[in-house]
Amino acid sequence: MKNSALHPNISVSDARAAIDFYEAALGAETLDVITAGGAVIHSDLILRSAAGESTFTVAAAFPPDSVAPEPGEPTHASFTVPVEDTDAAYARAIGAGASSVAEPADWFEGFRQAAVRCPFGHRWYFVTVAESVTAADVQRASDAWVADRD
């Protein structure tokens, strides 16, 4: 098994159900699952998207070393998945049981984004970004977003 350059480890309350969800909602493929005492202590999944392949681990939370986010409560991290079709990725995740954080919308020309919260408390963004989009474009849109929040 070869991991991607960044291989996040996601702690969840029910790892078996989370793996099933990530397969259904994101199209992830499970490469392996390691258990101990009936709990999933490690699994490797691969996600193929418009940007290539990424791997990640899903495992049961083992406090105090790792905790799962509480659904509906703030979470410390989010995951962005570049996709060919933001609307289709969003619909697939919602259909698999995610809740909407932000419906698909054009943030600005060439940048379409949506966000969901999985049943295990993690936030996932789906983005379709044109090759013509620059960091300056994202900065202008971010400045406008912050100004609208004030």
Side-chain angles (χ1 to χ4, degrees):
M1 158 76 191
K2 183 176 179 181
N3 293 333
S4 53
L6 178 63
H7 182 85
N9 298 286
I10 302 174
S11 296
V12 296
S13 57
D14 183 343
R16 290 182 194 281
I19 291 167
D20 290 344
F21 173 81
Y22 297 135
E23 289 175 341
L26 305 177
E29 176 187 346
T30 301
L31 301 174
D32 58 54
V33 176
I34 310 300
T35 61
V40 174
I41 61 168
H42 180 89
S43 67
D44 288 305
L45 287 80
I46 188 166
L47 179 63
R48 294 174 178 89
S49 79
E53 295 182 350
S54 295
T55 57
F56 63 104
T57 294
V58 175
F62 290 98
D65 298 325
S66 66
V67 295
E70 293 293 328
E73 295 294 320
T75 183
H76 69 284
S78 58
F79 304 94
T80 299
V81 181
V83 295
E84 295 290 335
D85 183 340
T86 296
D87 298 294
Y90 173 86
R92 180 179 183 168
I94 295 295
S99 59
S100 180
V101 173
E103 293 185 3
D106 292 330
W107 204 31
F108 58 89
E109 187 175 338
F111 192 108
R112 188 158 181 82
Q113 177 174 277
V116 299
R117 187 104 183 223
C118 74
F120 308 94
H122 295 284
R123 188 175 47 240
W124 297 82
Y125 288 94
F126 303 113
V127 297
T128 305
V129 182
E131 288 185 25
S132 60
V133 171
T134 66
D137 295 329
V138 176
Q139 185 64 60
R140 279 191 297 280
S142 298
D143 291 343
W145 177 74
V146 168
D148 286 346
R149 291 179 58 120
D150 291 338

